[in-house]
Amino acid sequence: MVWLEYEPKNTFFHNSLNALTKFIITLSILLLTGFFWDLRYLTSIFIIALLCLIVARIPLYWYKNLLIVAIMLSPVTLITGLWMVKPEYFKVLPPELVSKVVIEIIPKDFPVFGGAALTYGNLYWGVALMVKIVTAIMAVYLFTYTTSLSDFSHSLQKVGIPSTVTFLISCAYRFVPILIRKEQTVMSARRLRGWKTGRNPIKVIHNLSPIFYSLGSSSYKLVEQLTMALALKGFKVGQKGTPTKELKFSILDYTVSIVSIIITAMMSYLVFVYQIGQI
Amino acid sequence: MSNVIIECHNLSFIDPSGVKLINNISCKISRGRIVALLGRSDSHKEILLQILNGLIPRFSGGILEGEAIVDGLNVKDHTVEELSRIIYTVLPDPVAQVVETTVYDDVALGPSNMLLPTQEIKKRVSFALEATRLKGFENRNTYSLSGGEQQRLAIAGGLAMLPKVMCMIDPFSMLDPIGKEELVSIIKQLKKQYEMTFLITDGGKNIEVINKLADEVILMDKGEIKARGPPNNIFNAKEAMKIIEPPQVMALFLKLRDSKLFDSSIPVDITQAERWLRNFLKDRKLPSYKKNYTRKYQINKPIIRVRNLKHTFPSFPPVEALRGVSLDIYPGEFVAIIGPNGGGKTTLAKHLVGLLKPTNSDAVVEVAGLNVIKTPMNELVRHINYVFQNPNDQIFTETVWDEIAFGPRMIGLTEEEVNKRVRHMLKEFGLEEQKDENPLYLSPGKKTLLAIASVMSMDPEILIVDEPTGGLDCKEAHDTLKVLQKMNKIGKTIIIITHDMKIVCEYCTRVIVLLDGTVLLQGRPEQVFSKAEMLKKAFIEPPPIVQLANKLNLPKDIMSVDDMYLYLREVASWSG
C-alpha cells in the first residue's frame, strides 16, 4: 500500500495546482504551525490542513498511521513538557494558571531531587507540541500524496533552485517511500515466519532487532540502486533535465500562491511583533 | 563509421575479494546484431554487460584489466551517465530500475536527462509504452504494477532513450509467453528501424525465444567465452549441452539421432520438425500414450477453498486485481497458477496466506479448514506458507543456519527441535556446506533454495512459491523444482506461480489459468494445453513439444521431450 508517496488521482490538489503552488501551501502550513503555540490558532491550522487532506482524498490508512504516530508521541510530548517547560517560559498565559498543579508526581520535600508536578502549563505545552507535529505531518501528507517527483523537481528547477539541491530533495522524496515499501515486504515475509513483536518490552526489542539489521542493509542497498538507476538513465548531478510535460503556472496557481504568501507574511509579522498566537 | 560497435581486448575483471570473474575475453560485435550471451549463473555474463555500460567497476569496486570499447569510447574513460546515451542496460531486478512514481514519468526520465524537447519526450514515451504493451498505464503508480509489468517498464525506460546498444539481463524471466513474443518482435523492429545492437543474457530457460531471436550466441562459462556462432550451430554442439539445454525441438531430434531413429540435419523449429514427423508417422500405427503420474492426490475434500474472491486496489483508477475467483485445491496436488502479467496470480496467493484481505464481504477463503480472513497469521503459517518472488525480500539474518531456524523459533519450538529441523532442511536442500555463510552472498539458485527451506522448516501442509525459477539458470531451476517435487511426494501441497510452461508440463499435476482476475481455465496440464485458442487470450503459449504434439494430433499426455521421445520410439518399434 502506498504511504508517504504520490498517487495519481483526480482531485483539485492533484490536477489543478502546480507542484510549486502545493509546495508554497505546504511551506505556509509548516511555518505557521512552527510559529504558533496558542491552541486556538493551532487548531484552526489543523482544521485547514484536515480539510485539504479530505479534498485530496488521502486514503484512510494514512490517517490511521497518523493516529498511531500521535498516540506514540503523546507520552513523549508530555514528558518533554514536564521536564523542559517552567512557568517562566509563559509570557501570555496568566502565571497562576500555568503553575497550577494537575498531578503531583514527586512530593515537594523529596530529598536531593526535590519535587516534580505536572502543571496546566506543562499540559498545555505538551498538547500544543503534539498538535504542531501532527499538523506538520498532515502538511507533508498533502504534498507527498498529490505531487509527483518529476513535477516537483522540474518546478523547483524552473524557479532557479540549483539542480544539485533538486537532486538531493528528489532522492530523499523517493528514498523514504521505497524504504517503507521494502520494509513492508520484509515485515510481511517475517510475519509469514511466525514473527510477532509480543507485549513484553524486552522481547519486543529482541524481536525487532533483525529489522534494524535489515533496515540498515536495505538502506545502503537502496541508495546504491537508486544511484545506479539514475546513472543508467543519464542523470548527471548539476545538469537540468528538460520537463517531461508542459508545466503550467495558471492564474489559480498565482492566486493561491500569493494568498498563501501574504497570509504567512502577515501572521509572521503579528507573531513576532505582537506576540499573537504565543503562550 | 566502423561496423564494429563493441570491442573487448583481453578483458578481465577481478572483484574486490580477489576472484577473477571475467577471464581474458576478446571479442568484436558488429552494429545491428542481436547477440545472446548464454551460460549458467556462474558464467558471469551479466558482469560482462555491466562492464560495457560502466557500472562495473565504478559501483562494485575491483580491478578491470584490458580494454572495452563501445562505439569508439573506452569505457574506462567515461562515466555511466555519458555511456548511457550509447548503451543502456535493463537490470535483472526491475524494481531496482524504477525511479519515478508514475509510469509516464519513469519512462520520460531518460529522454529528459538527454535534454530532448518536451514534445520529443512525449513521442518517445508513447512509442516505448506502445512497444511494451503499457499504453494506458501512464498514470499508474510504478509500484502498483505486477512483477512482469515492472519488467516491461524497465525495458520501456531504455527504449525511450533509443540507445545504440541495448543490454538486457534476463529480460524474459518475468514475462508471460506472449509478452516474450512481443519483446522479440520489438527487438527485431528496433534492430531493423534503428540498427540497434542487442546484447541479451539468459540462463537457458528461454532457449526457444533466443533461438528465434538471436543472430548469434556467445556461450560463456566461468567468465570465459566457450563458443560463439549462429544459434543452430551452438545448440547442436556437445560443448554447449554441458552448459545449457538445447531448445525442445532440437533436444528431441538429438535424442532421436542418438538412438538412430533420425539421421538428417537437426530441425530448428516446429515447422521443420512437423514436416519430418508427418513423414515419419505416415502409415504407421499410432499407439495410445498415458503418462504415469507419480502421485495421485486425494480428490474428496479440498485443502484450499476459495469462493467469489474479489480484490480492488485503491489506486487511480482503482485496479480490480481479482474479480470473483472461485477454486478448490486438493491435498497433495502440485498446482501451477499461470496467466499474463497483472492477471492476479500473486494477489490470489497473498489472499491464501492472509497477507491481503478480500475487498468484498461475501468472499470465502478457507485453508486446511480455517477461515483465512479471521485466523491470525501466526496460526495460519503452520498450515500454509508463501515464498516471495524475490528471495532477497525474505532473507534477513546473518547466516544460513539462522535463516532456517528463524521460523521454527518464532512458532515456539524447543531449541532441540529447531536444531533438528534446521539440520534436516540443510540436508534436504543441499545447503550443508553453506550453513555458516551470509545468505546475501549465496548464488541465485542457493538463495531460492534457502528461501524455500526457511519456510519449509515450519512444516506447513501447503507451500506457495512465487516464480520459483525467476533469475535462475536451467540447472538451478530444475534443482529447485526437484526439491519441490520431493516435498510434494511426502504429501505437501505445492502451488507455484510461474511463466515457465515447460516446468508446468514437467512437474505439475494441475494448472489454473488466471486472466483479468478470474479463472479462465483449470485442469490437468494436458487438458489445459490442448486449448491453445483459449490460452492465447491469456497470453499463454504451450511449450514447443506440446504444440508439436497438438499439431500432429498425437496423444495429449505428451508434455515433455522425454514423453515425445518415448512415444516415437514406441511408434517405431510397433511398426518394426
Side-chain angles (χ1 to χ4, degrees):
Chain A
M1 277 200 280
V2 181
W3 186 56
L4 279 183
E5 192 175 2
Y6 170 69
E7 190 174 20
K9 262 193 179 169
N10 194 11
T11 74
F12 171 75
F13 282 100
H14 283 82
N15 296 338
S16 305
L17 295 180
N18 184 289
L20 205 60
T21 314
K22 287 180 262 187
F23 187 63
I24 292 169
I25 297 173
T26 308
L27 208 60
S28 299
I29 296 175
L30 287 173
L31 285 174
L32 294 177
T33 312
F35 293 155
F36 291 130
W37 278 99
D38 188 326
L39 271 174
R40 289 166 302 173
Y41 289 88
L42 283 173
T43 313
S44 310
I45 302 170
F46 172 84
I47 290 168
I48 292 168
L50 185 64
L51 286 174
C52 291
L53 294 195
I54 292 167
V55 173
R57 290 183 22 218
I58 303 270
L60 275 176
Y61 57 86
W62 285 47
Y63 296 102
K64 198 180 114 190
N65 289 351
L66 185 64
L67 195 68
I68 294 170
V69 171
I71 292 168
M72 283 167 67
L73 274 178
S74 53
V76 180
T77 53
L78 280 179
I79 292 167
T80 317
L82 179 67
W83 295 109
M84 307 282 290
V85 184
K86 304 289 170 218
E88 308 82 72
Y89 174 87
F90 299 92
K91 304 276 186 276
V92 179
L93 290 176
E96 59 278 13
L97 178 74
V98 293
S99 26
K100 199 172 172 185
V101 174
V102 181
I103 308 163
E104 192 177 63
I105 298 164
I106 304 172
K108 267 184 188 167
D109 51 356
F110 195 84
V112 187
F113 295 108
L118 180 74
T119 62
Y120 275 108
N122 297 142
L123 198 60
Y124 194 102
W125 190 91
V127 173
L129 181 64
M130 205 169 75
V131 176
K132 275 155 111 51
I133 295 170
V134 168
T135 313
I137 295 173
M138 285 161 81
V140 174
Y141 267 22
L142 179 68
F143 186 75
T144 50
Y145 191 69
T146 61
T147 316
S148 78
L149 174 61
S150 71
D151 282 355
F152 180 43
S153 52
H154 289 310
S155 299
L156 288 181
Q157 281 175 9
K158 210 174 178 182
V159 292
I161 309 259
S163 60
T164 313
V165 178
T166 318
F167 170 70
L168 289 174
I169 297 172
S170 304
C171 278
Y173 193 79
R174 190 71 195 116
F175 181 74
V176 173
I178 295 179
L179 196 63
I180 292 171
R181 203 174 286 277
K182 181 88 188 159
E183 276 318 294
Q184 277 175 348
T185 313
V186 177
M187 292 278 269
S188 299
R190 270 183 209 129
R191 284 169 57 215
L192 283 171
R193 309 255 294 274
W195 179 83
K196 52 187 184 297
T197 47
R199 286 186 184 163
N200 178 339
I202 296 166
K203 267 195 172 173
V204 169
I205 293 166
H206 180 257
N207 287 344
L208 278 171
S209 56
I211 292 184
F212 299 127
Y213 168 73
S214 114
L215 197 71
S217 62
S218 39
S219 306
Y220 172 76
K221 252 183 147 181
L222 278 173
V223 173
E224 197 185 58
Q225 275 179 1
L226 203 60
T227 321
M228 257 166 66
L230 280 165
L232 282 173
K233 289 194 171 167
F235 181 85
K236 204 171 162 189
V237 179
Q239 176 197 278
K240 286 181 187 179
T242 30
T244 52
K245 314 166 200 162
E246 281 95 13
L247 295 169
K248 288 176 196 144
F249 209 75
S250 65
I251 296 172
L252 182 69
D253 286 305
Y254 279 110
T255 316
V256 174
S257 303
I258 290 168
V259 168
S260 301
I261 292 168
I262 291 173
I263 292 175
T264 313
M266 267 172 53
M267 286 298 180
S268 311
Y269 178 76
L270 293 172
V271 167
F272 291 111
V273 178
Y274 297 103
Q275 301 284 306
I276 295 287
Q278 299 304 292
I279 49 174
Chain B
M1 188 170 65
S2 162
N3 192 39
V4 174
I5 193 153
I6 293 169
E7 283 176 74
C8 296
H9 300 292
N10 307 108
L11 193 70
S12 293
F13 172 68
I14 300 154
D15 79 359
S17 62
V19 180
K20 203 169 201 174
L21 298 179
I22 294 291
N23 194 7
N24 204 28
I25 284 182
S26 292
C27 66
K28 284 183 182 174
I29 291 168
S30 302
R31 220 171 272 276
R33 301 281 283 171
I34 300 172
V35 181
L37 282 86
L38 302 182
R40 290 196 190 140
S41 295
D42 61 359
S43 66
H44 308 305
K45 51 198 185 299
E46 296 85 357
I47 290 181
L48 180 60
L49 297 195
Q50 291 181 54
I51 290 171
L52 295 177
N53 65 22
L55 286 176
I56 290 178
R58 264 178 209 98
F59 283 86
S60 63
I63 302 160
L64 186 65
E65 290 168 351
E67 275 191 335
I69 294 160
V70 181
D71 201 29
L73 303 179
N74 190 328
V75 296
K76 279 182 182 171
D77 305 332
H78 296 271
T79 62
V80 180
E81 302 86 62
E82 285 162 356
L83 291 167
S84 72
R85 273 122 176 105
I86 298 164
I87 181 166
Y88 183 83
T89 303
V90 179
L91 299 171
D93 179 8
V95 181
Q97 210 150 355
V98 172
V99 178
E100 295 281 356
T101 41
T102 65
V103 169
Y104 181 94
D105 288 337
D106 199 63
V107 179
L109 182 63
S112 160
N113 290 330
M114 290 166 78
L115 306 179
L116 297 174
T118 307
Q119 278 309 319
E120 177 63 18
I121 293 176
K122 275 187 180 175
K123 264 191 218 165
R124 294 230 184 157
V125 173
S126 174
F127 150 77
L129 292 180
E130 185 107 44
T132 48
R133 216 168 9 110
L134 285 172
K135 200 88 187 160
F137 283 61
E138 289 83 347
N139 287 326
R140 284 272 296 273
N141 188 308
T142 44
Y143 279 90
S144 71
L145 304 178
S146 71
E149 287 164 349
Q150 277 177 338
Q151 190 158 24
R152 299 209 310 257
L153 174 64
I155 295 166
L159 287 185
M161 292 173 80
L162 286 179
K164 289 182 182 169
V165 182
M166 184 89 155
C167 299
M168 296 176 160
I169 300 174
D170 259 349
F172 302 109
S173 63
M174 284 187 190
L175 297 183
D176 51 51
I178 300 289
K180 289 175 191 173
E181 291 294 324
E182 284 173 350
L183 185 58
V184 167
S185 68
I186 294 164
I187 292 172
K188 284 186 172 171
Q189 182 203 329
L190 288 168
K191 175 196 160 180
K192 201 174 151 190
Q193 206 172 338
Y194 299 97
E195 215 192 0
M196 212 181 260
T197 308
F198 285 88
L199 299 181
I200 298 163
T201 70
D202 194 84
K205 290 208 315 280
N206 298 290
I207 204 86
E208 274 80 15
V209 185
I210 297 292
N211 196 23
K212 273 186 209 168
L213 175 69
D215 296 320
E216 59 181 313
V217 166
I218 293 178
L219 197 65
M220 285 187 68
D221 191 31
K222 298 193 169 56
E224 288 178 18
I225 293 180
K226 289 288 173 193
R228 183 178 174 177
N232 298 336
N233 294 359
I234 296 289
F235 299 149
N236 264 324
K238 286 253 183 287
E239 181 76 17
M241 273 181 269
K242 286 180 200 159
I243 301 171
I244 47 157
E245 279 178 14
Q248 279 196 323
V249 169
M250 293 176 86
L252 171 70
F253 281 87
L254 287 167
K255 271 180 169 240
L256 291 172
R257 191 163 68 181
D258 285 350
S259 58
K260 313 265 185 268
L261 284 173
F262 174 80
D263 58 0
S264 180
S265 62
I266 301 286
V268 293
D269 58 30
I270 295 176
T271 319
Q272 287 181 18
E274 188 191 348
R275 206 175 304 138
W276 187 87
L277 283 171
R278 275 201 194 282
N279 273 333
F280 174 78
L281 297 168
K282 207 173 162 186
D283 303 328
R284 286 183 196 247
K285 194 178 172 192
L286 300 183
S288 61
Y289 182 82
K290 202 86 195 145
K291 195 167 178 171
N292 186 19
Y293 285 98
T294 46
R295 185 175 166 79
K296 302 270 180 280
Y297 52 85
Q298 301 164 18
I299 201 123
N300 47 357
K301 197 177 171 223
I303 195 163
I304 293 176
R305 189 170 156 262
V306 177
R307 294 289 177 273
N308 195 30
L309 174 61
K310 293 180 185 170
H311 193 97
T312 304
F313 288 105
S315 62
F316 177 71
V319 179
E320 279 184 89
L322 298 176
R323 303 169 191 235
V325 170
S326 296
L327 54 89
D328 290 325
I329 291 173
Y330 296 91
E333 280 196 287
F334 197 131
V335 179
I337 301 179
I338 61 173
N341 297 136
K345 305 181 293 294
T346 300
T347 308
L348 170 65
K350 286 186 174 174
H351 277 86
L352 298 180
V353 290
L355 282 177
L356 286 175
K357 301 281 178 213
T359 47
N360 59 322
S361 56
D362 58 339
V364 176
V365 186
E366 281 176 10
V367 168
L370 299 169
N371 180 346
V372 173
I373 303 161
K374 289 180 182 163
T375 309
M377 191 173 280
N378 55 346
E379 169 61 28
L380 203 59
V381 294
R382 293 163 191 262
H383 302 279
I384 184 165
N385 223 305
Y386 174 72
V387 178
F388 282 68
Q389 206 163 358
N390 181 357
N392 290 322
D393 285 342
Q394 67 179 80
I395 288 170
F396 49 86
T397 63
E398 288 169 72
T399 66
V400 168
W401 179 284
D402 285 343
E403 194 63 38
I404 300 174
F406 187 88
R409 275 188 193 132
M410 284 292 130
I411 56 170
L413 299 183
T414 61
E415 203 53 26
E416 195 186 341
E417 178 62 21
V418 170
N419 291 342
K420 198 176 135 195
R421 284 201 187 182
V422 175
R423 272 193 291 272
H424 179 64
M425 286 296 136
L426 286 171
K427 198 176 162 207
E428 286 289 310
F429 287 79
L431 291 164
E432 281 162 310
E433 279 177 30
Q434 290 81 21
K435 71 181 167 69
D436 297 320
E437 284 181 25
N438 187 326
L440 290 175
Y441 303 117
L442 294 178
S443 70
K446 292 280 179 197
K447 238 185 230 184
T448 304
L449 287 175
L450 173 62
I452 300 171
S454 62
V455 165
M456 284 312 288
S457 59
M458 295 163 74
D459 199 24
E461 295 147 60
I462 310 156
L463 180 68
I464 306 173
V465 191
D466 202 342
E467 290 286 0
T469 60
L472 307 187
D473 64 35
C474 256
K475 189 185 171 295
E476 289 170 333
H478 282 294
D479 288 349
T480 307
L481 263 298
K482 275 177 188 152
V483 168
L484 290 175
Q485 200 174 42
K486 207 168 158 188
M487 296 290 138
N488 181 241
K489 280 180 184 165
I490 58 165
K492 305 286 180 198
T493 306
I494 307 288
I495 302 168
I496 60 168
I497 295 171
T498 185
H499 287 306
D500 192 332
M501 298 306 133
K502 283 194 261 182
I503 271 171
V504 174
C505 288
E506 214 164 315
Y507 295 94
C508 299
T509 55
R510 194 150 69 95
V511 185
I512 296 170
V513 186
L514 280 189
L515 173 67
D516 291 334
T518 54
V519 176
L520 176 75
L521 274 174
Q522 55 176 319
R524 298 187 83 101
E526 66 275 14
Q527 293 166 336
V528 169
F529 286 119
S530 65
K531 292 171 182 154
E533 280 310 307
M534 272 187 99
L535 287 175
K536 259 192 183 163
K537 279 193 218 165
F539 303 100
I540 288 167
E541 203 174 46
I545 220 74
V546 178
Q547 288 182 46
L548 194 57
N550 287 346
K551 281 186 177 207
L552 295 163
N553 279 325
L554 298 181
K556 293 197 181 344
D557 268 16
I558 295 175
M559 303 297 289
S560 65
V561 172
D562 284 343
D563 289 339
M564 180 69 105
Y565 170 69
L566 289 174
Y567 181 75
L568 294 175
R569 262 184 47 180
E570 209 178 329
V571 170
S573 67
W574 273 41
S575 319

